[in-house]
PDB file of all heavy atoms in Angstrom:
ATOM      1  N   ASP A  61      -1.848  -7.531  -8.214  1.00 97.00           N
ATOM      2  CA  ASP A  61      -2.142  -6.176  -8.625  1.00 97.00           C
ATOM      3  C   ASP A  61      -3.250  -6.203  -9.697  1.00 97.00           C
ATOM      4  O   ASP A  61      -3.255  -7.113 -10.650  1.00 97.00           O
ATOM      5  CB  ASP A  61      -0.973  -5.486  -9.250  1.00 97.00           C
ATOM      6  CG  ASP A  61       0.023  -5.141  -8.160  1.00 97.00           C
ATOM      7  OD1 ASP A  61      -0.109  -5.489  -6.941  1.00 97.00           O
ATOM      8  OD2 ASP A  61       1.125  -4.584  -8.522  1.00 97.00           O
ATOM      9  N   GLY A  62      -4.207  -5.282  -9.613  1.00 97.00           N
ATOM     10  CA  GLY A  62      -5.276  -5.313 -10.600  1.00 97.00           C
ATOM     11  C   GLY A  62      -6.474  -4.586 -10.022  1.00 97.00           C
ATOM     12  O   GLY A  62      -6.539  -4.221  -8.880  1.00 97.00           O
ATOM     13  N   LEU A  63      -7.506  -4.439 -10.908  1.00 98.00           N
ATOM     14  CA  LEU A  63      -8.728  -3.869 -10.544  1.00 98.00           C
ATOM     15  C   LEU A  63      -9.767  -4.939 -10.201  1.00 98.00           C
ATOM     16  O   LEU A  63     -10.046  -5.863 -11.073  1.00 98.00           O
ATOM     17  CB  LEU A  63      -9.282  -2.977 -11.646  1.00 98.00           C
ATOM     18  CG  LEU A  63     -10.355  -1.938 -11.276  1.00 98.00           C
ATOM     19  CD1 LEU A  63     -10.429  -0.940 -12.492  1.00 98.00           C
ATOM     20  CD2 LEU A  63     -11.718  -2.519 -11.092  1.00 98.00           C
ATOM     21  N   TYR A  64     -10.244  -5.006  -8.925  1.00 97.00           N
ATOM     22  CA  TYR A  64     -11.192  -5.984  -8.513  1.00 97.00           C
ATOM     23  C   TYR A  64     -12.557  -5.389  -8.562  1.00 97.00           C
ATOM     24  O   TYR A  64     -12.872  -4.424  -7.836  1.00 97.00           O
ATOM     25  CB  TYR A  64     -10.835  -6.475  -7.085  1.00 97.00           C
ATOM     26  CG  TYR A  64      -9.610  -7.342  -7.051  1.00 97.00           C
ATOM     27  CD1 TYR A  64      -8.401  -6.857  -7.311  1.00 97.00           C
ATOM     28  CD2 TYR A  64      -9.742  -8.773  -6.957  1.00 97.00           C
ATOM     29  CE1 TYR A  64      -7.246  -7.663  -7.213  1.00 97.00           C
ATOM     30  CE2 TYR A  64      -8.666  -9.610  -6.859  1.00 97.00           C
ATOM     31  CZ  TYR A  64      -7.351  -9.037  -7.059  1.00 97.00           C
ATOM     32  OH  TYR A  64      -6.272  -9.854  -7.054  1.00 97.00           O
ATOM     33  N   HIS A  65     -13.502  -5.984  -9.418  1.00 97.00           N
ATOM     34  CA  HIS A  65     -14.757  -5.388  -9.671  1.00 97.00           C
ATOM     35  C   HIS A  65     -15.802  -6.373  -9.062  1.00 97.00           C
ATOM     36  O   HIS A  65     -16.078  -7.552  -9.568  1.00 97.00           O
ATOM     37  CB  HIS A  65     -14.949  -5.333 -11.245  1.00 97.00           C
ATOM     38  CG  HIS A  65     -16.351  -4.832 -11.705  1.00 97.00           C
ATOM     39  ND1 HIS A  65     -16.807  -3.575 -11.372  1.00 97.00           N
ATOM     40  CD2 HIS A  65     -17.241  -5.451 -12.404  1.00 97.00           C
ATOM     41  CE1 HIS A  65     -17.984  -3.449 -11.891  1.00 97.00           C
ATOM     42  NE2 HIS A  65     -18.240  -4.624 -12.573  1.00 97.00           N
ATOM     43  N   PHE A  66     -16.373  -5.880  -7.988  1.00 97.00           N
ATOM     44  CA  PHE A  66     -17.311  -6.714  -7.231  1.00 97.00           C
ATOM     45  C   PHE A  66     -18.767  -6.291  -7.641  1.00 97.00           C
ATOM     46  O   PHE A  66     -18.990  -5.117  -7.660  1.00 97.00           O
ATOM     47  CB  PHE A  66     -17.225  -6.617  -5.684  1.00 97.00           C
ATOM     48  CG  PHE A  66     -15.856  -7.110  -5.187  1.00 97.00           C
ATOM     49  CD1 PHE A  66     -14.749  -6.280  -5.148  1.00 97.00           C
ATOM     50  CD2 PHE A  66     -15.726  -8.424  -4.796  1.00 97.00           C
ATOM     51  CE1 PHE A  66     -13.556  -6.728  -4.646  1.00 97.00           C
ATOM     52  CE2 PHE A  66     -14.504  -8.903  -4.317  1.00 97.00           C
ATOM     53  CZ  PHE A  66     -13.374  -8.033  -4.224  1.00 97.00           C
ATOM     54  N   THR A  67     -19.672  -7.265  -7.971  1.00 97.00           N
ATOM     55  CA  THR A  67     -20.961  -6.861  -8.417  1.00 97.00           C
ATOM     56  C   THR A  67     -22.017  -7.649  -7.612  1.00 97.00           C
ATOM     57  O   THR A  67     -21.835  -8.762  -7.109  1.00 97.00           O
ATOM     58  CB  THR A  67     -21.184  -7.198  -9.878  1.00 97.00           C
ATOM     59  OG1 THR A  67     -20.912  -8.569 -10.161  1.00 97.00           O
ATOM     60  CG2 THR A  67     -20.272  -6.329 -10.687  1.00 97.00           C
ATOM     61  N   GLU A  68     -23.173  -6.994  -7.493  1.00 95.00           N
ATOM     62  CA  GLU A  68     -24.316  -7.635  -6.864  1.00 95.00           C
ATOM     63  C   GLU A  68     -25.621  -6.998  -7.575  1.00 95.00           C
ATOM     64  O   GLU A  68     -25.851  -5.869  -7.252  1.00 95.00           O
ATOM     65  CB  GLU A  68     -24.311  -7.431  -5.317  1.00 95.00           C
ATOM     66  CG  GLU A  68     -25.506  -8.157  -4.675  1.00 95.00           C
ATOM     67  CD  GLU A  68     -25.364  -8.066  -3.169  1.00 95.00           C
ATOM     68  OE1 GLU A  68     -25.805  -6.920  -2.553  1.00 95.00           O
ATOM     69  OE2 GLU A  68     -24.890  -8.972  -2.495  1.00 95.00           O
ATOM     70  N   GLY A  69     -26.231  -7.709  -8.373  1.00 93.00           N
ATOM     71  CA  GLY A  69     -27.264  -7.149  -9.165  1.00 93.00           C
ATOM     72  C   GLY A  69     -26.738  -6.022  -9.997  1.00 93.00           C
ATOM     73  O   GLY A  69     -25.824  -6.232 -10.743  1.00 93.00           O
ATOM     74  N   GLU A  70     -27.338  -4.821  -9.937  1.00 92.00           N
ATOM     75  CA  GLU A  70     -26.882  -3.776 -10.749  1.00 92.00           C
ATOM     76  C   GLU A  70     -25.895  -2.847  -9.916  1.00 92.00           C
ATOM     77  O   GLU A  70     -25.390  -1.840 -10.424  1.00 92.00           O
ATOM     78  CB  GLU A  70     -28.010  -2.904 -11.180  1.00 92.00           C
ATOM     79  CG  GLU A  70     -28.943  -3.617 -12.129  1.00 92.00           C
ATOM     80  CD  GLU A  70     -30.046  -2.685 -12.665  1.00 92.00           C
ATOM     81  OE1 GLU A  70     -30.079  -1.499 -12.288  1.00 92.00           O
ATOM     82  OE2 GLU A  70     -30.848  -3.232 -13.377  1.00 92.00           O
ATOM     83  N   SER A  71     -25.490  -3.306  -8.764  1.00 95.00           N
ATOM     84  CA  SER A  71     -24.562  -2.521  -7.909  1.00 95.00           C
ATOM     85  C   SER A  71     -23.178  -3.041  -7.977  1.00 95.00           C
ATOM     86  O   SER A  71     -22.984  -4.235  -8.369  1.00 95.00           O
ATOM     87  CB  SER A  71     -25.018  -2.517  -6.451  1.00 95.00           C
ATOM     88  OG  SER A  71     -26.311  -1.897  -6.333  1.00 95.00           O
ATOM     89  N   HIS A  72     -22.167  -2.268  -7.714  1.00 97.00           N
ATOM     90  CA  HIS A  72     -20.769  -2.639  -7.857  1.00 97.00           C
ATOM     91  C   HIS A  72     -19.937  -1.882  -6.823  1.00 97.00           C
ATOM     92  O   HIS A  72     -20.280  -0.854  -6.243  1.00 97.00           O
ATOM     93  CB  HIS A  72     -20.252  -2.363  -9.173  1.00 97.00           C
ATOM     94  CG  HIS A  72     -20.104  -0.946  -9.566  1.00 97.00           C
ATOM     95  ND1 HIS A  72     -21.139  -0.231 -10.140  1.00 97.00           N
ATOM     96  CD2 HIS A  72     -19.136  -0.062  -9.288  1.00 97.00           C
ATOM     97  CE1 HIS A  72     -20.686   1.029 -10.256  1.00 97.00           C
ATOM     98  NE2 HIS A  72     -19.467   1.205  -9.734  1.00 97.00           N
ATOM     99  N   ILE A  73     -18.749  -2.557  -6.493  1.00 98.00           N
ATOM    100  CA  ILE A  73     -17.710  -1.856  -5.711  1.00 98.00           C
ATOM    101  C   ILE A  73     -16.445  -2.208  -6.416  1.00 98.00           C
ATOM    102  O   ILE A  73     -16.165  -3.316  -6.752  1.00 98.00           O
ATOM    103  CB  ILE A  73     -17.653  -2.398  -4.234  1.00 98.00           C
ATOM    104  CG1 ILE A  73     -18.991  -2.125  -3.427  1.00 98.00           C
ATOM    105  CG2 ILE A  73     -16.456  -1.786  -3.535  1.00 98.00           C
ATOM    106  CD1 ILE A  73     -18.993  -2.686  -2.124  1.00 98.00           C
ATOM    107  N   ASP A  74     -15.607  -1.214  -6.637  1.00 98.00           N
ATOM    108  CA  ASP A  74     -14.303  -1.379  -7.259  1.00 98.00           C
ATOM    109  C   ASP A  74     -13.172  -1.012  -6.334  1.00 98.00           C
ATOM    110  O   ASP A  74     -13.125   0.039  -5.748  1.00 98.00           O
ATOM    111  CB  ASP A  74     -14.223  -0.408  -8.520  1.00 98.00           C
ATOM    112  CG  ASP A  74     -15.201  -0.840  -9.622  1.00 98.00           C
ATOM    113  OD1 ASP A  74     -15.320  -2.027  -9.900  1.00 98.00           O
ATOM    114  OD2 ASP A  74     -15.948   0.155 -10.139  1.00 98.00           O
ATOM    115  N   LEU A  75     -12.199  -2.006  -6.279  1.00 98.00           N
ATOM    116  CA  LEU A  75     -10.952  -1.712  -5.494  1.00 98.00           C
ATOM    117  C   LEU A  75      -9.772  -2.006  -6.417  1.00 98.00           C
ATOM    118  O   LEU A  75      -9.679  -2.934  -7.228  1.00 98.00           O
ATOM    119  CB  LEU A  75     -10.901  -2.788  -4.390  1.00 98.00           C
ATOM    120  CG  LEU A  75     -12.153  -2.857  -3.379  1.00 98.00           C
ATOM    121  CD1 LEU A  75     -11.905  -3.984  -2.401  1.00 98.00           C
ATOM    122  CD2 LEU A  75     -12.334  -1.578  -2.701  1.00 98.00           C
ATOM    123  N   LEU A  76      -8.862  -1.115  -6.311  1.00 98.00           N
ATOM    124  CA  LEU A  76      -7.615  -1.155  -7.082  1.00 98.00           C
ATOM    125  C   LEU A  76      -6.492  -1.596  -6.148  1.00 98.00           C
ATOM    126  O   LEU A  76      -6.170  -0.916  -5.195  1.00 98.00           O
ATOM    127  CB  LEU A  76      -7.212   0.199  -7.784  1.00 98.00           C
ATOM    128  CG  LEU A  76      -6.023   0.179  -8.624  1.00 98.00           C
ATOM    129  CD1 LEU A  76      -6.322  -0.727  -9.788  1.00 98.00           C
ATOM    130  CD2 LEU A  76      -5.610   1.614  -9.065  1.00 98.00           C
ATOM    131  N   LEU A  77      -5.896  -2.810  -6.370  1.00 98.00           N
ATOM    132  CA  LEU A  77      -4.786  -3.345  -5.624  1.00 98.00           C
ATOM    133  C   LEU A  77      -3.497  -3.067  -6.315  1.00 98.00           C
ATOM    134  O   LEU A  77      -3.354  -3.294  -7.603  1.00 98.00           O
ATOM    135  CB  LEU A  77      -4.956  -4.827  -5.318  1.00 98.00           C
ATOM    136  CG  LEU A  77      -5.801  -5.230  -4.116  1.00 98.00           C
ATOM    137  CD1 LEU A  77      -7.209  -4.631  -4.228  1.00 98.00           C
ATOM    138  CD2 LEU A  77      -5.826  -6.752  -3.996  1.00 98.00           C
ATOM    139  N   SER A  78      -2.481  -2.584  -5.551  1.00 98.00           N
ATOM    140  CA  SER A  78      -1.181  -2.282  -6.123  1.00 98.00           C
ATOM    141  C   SER A  78      -0.107  -2.679  -5.073  1.00 98.00           C
ATOM    142  O   SER A  78      -0.334  -2.500  -3.856  1.00 98.00           O
ATOM    143  CB  SER A  78      -1.051  -0.857  -6.571  1.00 98.00           C
ATOM    144  OG  SER A  78       0.164  -0.535  -7.124  1.00 98.00           O
ATOM    145  N   GLY A  79       1.098  -3.105  -5.564  1.00 98.00           N
ATOM    146  CA  GLY A  79       2.169  -3.441  -4.596  1.00 98.00           C
ATOM    147  C   GLY A  79       1.938  -4.745  -3.904  1.00 98.00           C
ATOM    148  O   GLY A  79       2.491  -4.982  -2.842  1.00 98.00           O
ATOM    149  N   MET A  80       1.123  -5.649  -4.356  1.00 97.00           N
ATOM    150  CA  MET A  80       0.787  -6.899  -3.698  1.00 97.00           C
ATOM    151  C   MET A  80       2.014  -7.787  -3.608  1.00 97.00           C
ATOM    152  O   MET A  80       2.041  -8.733  -2.758  1.00 97.00           O
ATOM    153  CB  MET A  80      -0.381  -7.625  -4.382  1.00 97.00           C
ATOM    154  CG  MET A  80      -1.738  -6.869  -4.240  1.00 97.00           C
ATOM    155  SD  MET A  80      -2.285  -6.791  -2.477  1.00 97.00           S
ATOM    156  CE  MET A  80      -2.176  -4.976  -2.212  1.00 97.00           C
ATOM    157  N   ASP A  81       3.011  -7.497  -4.430  1.00 97.00           N
ATOM    158  CA  ASP A  81       4.296  -8.364  -4.205  1.00 97.00           C
ATOM    159  C   ASP A  81       4.997  -8.043  -2.928  1.00 97.00           C
ATOM    160  O   ASP A  81       5.887  -8.776  -2.575  1.00 97.00           O
ATOM    161  CB  ASP A  81       5.227  -8.050  -5.394  1.00 97.00           C
ATOM    162  CG  ASP A  81       5.551  -6.589  -5.644  1.00 97.00           C
ATOM    163  OD1 ASP A  81       4.679  -5.730  -5.417  1.00 97.00           O
ATOM    164  OD2 ASP A  81       6.732  -6.347  -6.038  1.00 97.00           O
ATOM    165  N   LYS A  82       4.595  -6.942  -2.278  1.00 97.00           N
ATOM    166  CA  LYS A  82       5.250  -6.505  -1.035  1.00 97.00           C
ATOM    167  C   LYS A  82       4.393  -6.968   0.121  1.00 97.00           C
ATOM    168  O   LYS A  82       4.693  -6.609   1.321  1.00 97.00           O
ATOM    169  CB  LYS A  82       5.536  -4.985  -0.966  1.00 97.00           C
ATOM    170  CG  LYS A  82       6.309  -4.510  -2.158  1.00 97.00           C
ATOM    171  CD  LYS A  82       6.437  -2.976  -2.113  1.00 97.00           C
ATOM    172  CE  LYS A  82       7.242  -2.486  -3.269  1.00 97.00           C
ATOM    173  NZ  LYS A  82       6.492  -2.616  -4.627  1.00 97.00           N
ATOM    174  N   LEU A  83       3.296  -7.709  -0.093  1.00 95.00           N
ATOM    175  CA  LEU A  83       2.375  -8.004   0.980  1.00 95.00           C
ATOM    176  C   LEU A  83       2.998  -8.798   2.139  1.00 95.00           C
ATOM    177  O   LEU A  83       2.742  -8.448   3.334  1.00 95.00           O
ATOM    178  CB  LEU A  83       1.316  -8.835   0.357  1.00 95.00           C
ATOM    179  CG  LEU A  83      -0.047  -9.016   1.156  1.00 95.00           C
ATOM    180  CD1 LEU A  83      -0.680  -7.715   1.571  1.00 95.00           C
ATOM    181  CD2 LEU A  83      -1.021  -9.857   0.339  1.00 95.00           C
ATOM    182  N   LEU A  84       3.957  -9.679   1.949  1.00 92.00           N
ATOM    183  CA  LEU A  84       4.514 -10.484   2.909  1.00 92.00           C
ATOM    184  C   LEU A  84       5.675  -9.716   3.679  1.00 92.00           C
ATOM    185  O   LEU A  84       5.969 -10.153   4.845  1.00 92.00           O
ATOM    186  CB  LEU A  84       5.091 -11.776   2.338  1.00 92.00           C
ATOM    187  CG  LEU A  84       4.082 -12.765   1.755  1.00 92.00           C
ATOM    188  CD1 LEU A  84       4.794 -13.980   1.199  1.00 92.00           C
ATOM    189  CD2 LEU A  84       3.146 -13.145   2.766  1.00 92.00           C
ATOM    190  N   THR A  85       6.196  -8.671   3.137  1.00 95.00           N
ATOM    191  CA  THR A  85       7.341  -7.949   3.709  1.00 95.00           C
ATOM    192  C   THR A  85       6.946  -6.678   4.340  1.00 95.00           C
ATOM    193  O   THR A  85       7.692  -6.146   5.212  1.00 95.00           O
ATOM    194  CB  THR A  85       8.497  -7.805   2.709  1.00 95.00           C
ATOM    195  OG1 THR A  85       7.985  -7.056   1.566  1.00 95.00           O
ATOM    196  CG2 THR A  85       9.025  -9.134   2.250  1.00 95.00           C
ATOM    197  N   SER A  86       5.889  -6.016   3.876  1.00 96.00           N
ATOM    198  CA  SER A  86       5.445  -4.784   4.423  1.00 96.00           C
ATOM    199  C   SER A  86       4.775  -4.878   5.749  1.00 96.00           C
ATOM    200  O   SER A  86       3.969  -5.798   5.957  1.00 96.00           O
ATOM    201  CB  SER A  86       4.504  -4.122   3.356  1.00 96.00           C
ATOM    202  OG  SER A  86       4.072  -2.785   3.881  1.00 96.00           O
ATOM    203  N   PRO A  87       5.019  -3.986   6.666  1.00 95.00           N
ATOM    204  CA  PRO A  87       4.336  -4.028   7.930  1.00 95.00           C
ATOM    205  C   PRO A  87       2.858  -3.691   7.904  1.00 95.00           C
ATOM    206  O   PRO A  87       2.177  -4.018   8.928  1.00 95.00           O
ATOM    207  CB  PRO A  87       5.108  -2.913   8.810  1.00 95.00           C
ATOM    208  CG  PRO A  87       5.657  -1.994   7.788  1.00 95.00           C
ATOM    209  CD  PRO A  87       5.986  -2.803   6.566  1.00 95.00           C
ATOM    210  N   ALA A  88       2.395  -3.095   6.873  1.00 97.00           N
ATOM    211  CA  ALA A  88       0.959  -2.764   6.755  1.00 97.00           C
ATOM    212  C   ALA A  88       0.570  -2.554   5.319  1.00 97.00           C
ATOM    213  O   ALA A  88       1.368  -2.392   4.413  1.00 97.00           O
ATOM    214  CB  ALA A  88       0.649  -1.493   7.632  1.00 97.00           C
ATOM    215  N   VAL A  89      -0.662  -2.606   5.110  1.00 98.00           N
ATOM    216  CA  VAL A  89      -1.260  -2.226   3.790  1.00 98.00           C
ATOM    217  C   VAL A  89      -2.121  -0.939   3.844  1.00 98.00           C
ATOM    218  O   VAL A  89      -2.923  -0.864   4.812  1.00 98.00           O
ATOM    219  CB  VAL A  89      -2.276  -3.350   3.350  1.00 98.00           C
ATOM    220  CG1 VAL A  89      -2.958  -3.024   2.010  1.00 98.00           C
ATOM    221  CG2 VAL A  89      -1.456  -4.702   3.127  1.00 98.00           C
ATOM    222  N   LEU A  90      -1.883  -0.054   3.002  1.00 98.00           N
ATOM    223  CA  LEU A  90      -2.552   1.199   3.030  1.00 98.00           C
ATOM    224  C   LEU A  90      -3.928   1.023   2.367  1.00 98.00           C
ATOM    225  O   LEU A  90      -4.040   0.293   1.369  1.00 98.00           O
ATOM    226  CB  LEU A  90      -1.761   2.349   2.341  1.00 98.00           C
ATOM    227  CG  LEU A  90      -0.396   2.605   2.712  1.00 98.00           C
ATOM    228  CD1 LEU A  90       0.195   3.731   1.962  1.00 98.00           C
ATOM    229  CD2 LEU A  90      -0.301   2.838   4.239  1.00 98.00           C
ATOM    230  N   VAL A  91      -4.999   1.620   2.938  1.00 98.00           N
ATOM    231  CA  VAL A  91      -6.327   1.572   2.360  1.00 98.00           C
ATOM    232  C   VAL A  91      -6.776   3.041   2.145  1.00 98.00           C
ATOM    233  O   VAL A  91      -6.877   3.744   3.104  1.00 98.00           O
ATOM    234  CB  VAL A  91      -7.350   0.867   3.208  1.00 98.00           C
ATOM    235  CG1 VAL A  91      -8.714   0.866   2.547  1.00 98.00           C
ATOM    236  CG2 VAL A  91      -6.876  -0.584   3.509  1.00 98.00           C
TER     237      VAL A  91
END
């Protein structure tokens, strides 16, 4: 879980991951 901050030059993309402890047991990941 956490905020993943991807950068390239002056551009960025931010993704917030939550509930990753359920990754192996959940049938799907919501986006």
Side-chain angles (χ1 to χ4, degrees):
D61 290 2
L63 198 164
Y64 287 73
H65 177 64
F66 296 90
T67 58
E68 184 175 85
E70 295 183 1
S71 298
H72 67 267
I73 297 175
D74 293 314
L75 306 178
L76 184 66
L77 273 58
S78 182
M80 290 297 114
D81 57 323
K82 304 176 183 68
L83 195 55
L84 296 178
T85 57
S86 177
V89 176
L90 307 182
V91 179

